[in-house]
Amino acid sequence: MTTNRVKTFDEAFLSRIHVALHFQDLTQDARAQVWCAFLQKIGVAVGGPLISEQQLEQLAARKVNGRQIKNATRTANSLAVSRKESLKYEHLIETLDAMDEFTNEFKPDREFD
């Protein structure tokens, strides 16, 4: 099981957990490596004609986790295929922006009257 809601577990639930691992957020270098790995899986070489090293750095600067990178890569690739195009940086940015917009819709309001 994976969760970010550990503080909401009750004592009975906690007693059933045998091993707990805490993962830190990825560094920018780690995110770049994850982006490269998932782009390679779909046949896109970083530094090639579709995704430059500079564009990889811009992708890695986005605060996303490995699962989000995997999902963004797959979604952007599907978007490109549906448009009969090769995957490009623009598809990835469009996908990441849509993910951000969706996430922001569900953030609780911080202002209370």
Side-chain angles (χ1 to χ4, degrees), residues 67-97:
R67 182 178 358 93
Q68 291 168 312
I69 293 170
K70 176 182 77 173
N71 292 341
T73 304
R74 288 180 175 177
T75 302
N77 190 50
S78 294
L79 180 63
V81 168
S82 74
R83 294 177 180 171
K84 297 179 178 26
E85 301 172 345
S86 297
L87 178 73
K88 296 180 276 195
Y89 174 75
E90 291 77 16
H91 297 114
L92 294 163
I93 293 300
E94 184 177 347
T95 300
L96 289 169
D97 288 347

Side-chain angles (χ1 to χ4, degrees), residues 1-2 4 13 17 20 43 49-50 53-54 57 60 70 72 79 81 83 91 97:
M1 176 176 72
T2 304
N4 60 357
F13 189 82
I17 297 173
L50 302 175
E53 292 286 342
Q54 182 182 4
E57 289 303 314
K70 176 182 77 173
L79 180 63
V81 168
R83 294 177 180 171
H91 297 114
D97 288 347

